[in-house]
Amino acid sequence: MILYFYPRDDTPGCTKEACGFRDAWTDLQDLGVVVLGVSADDAASHTKFAAKYRLPFTFCPTRTTR
């Protein structure tokens, strides 16, 4: 399992890291690795971020939308 924490969705460094996991996705799946991204953003932000960059892994929101 890769559990990675990052400050915010759609920031330059976080996007680069997330896209790196995306680009290695086939290799990671072949190894049975699960990737989970965690930040302080809400689920709606994670959904938008994942769609924008075609990120195939799971994001865990740490707060809810108000």
Side-chain angles (χ1 to χ4, degrees), residues 22 44-56 59:
R22 178 202 62 205
S45 179
H46 290 323
T47 299
K48 184 177 175 182
F49 180 53
K52 182 175 181 179
Y53 295 101
R54 300 179 337 270
L55 303 173
F59 291 90

Side-chain angles (χ1 to χ4, degrees), residues 4 6-22 36-39 41-60:
Y4 79 100
Y6 62 101
R8 291 194 56 105
D9 292 334
D10 213 9
T11 57
C14 300
T15 299
K16 183 176 181 179
E17 182 177 30
C19 288
F21 291 129
R22 178 202 62 205
L36 299 172
V38 181
S39 79
D41 294 305
D42 61 28
S45 179
H46 290 323
T47 299
K48 184 177 175 182
F49 180 53
K52 182 175 181 179
Y53 295 101
R54 300 179 337 270
L55 303 173
F57 43 86
T58 302
F59 291 90
C60 303

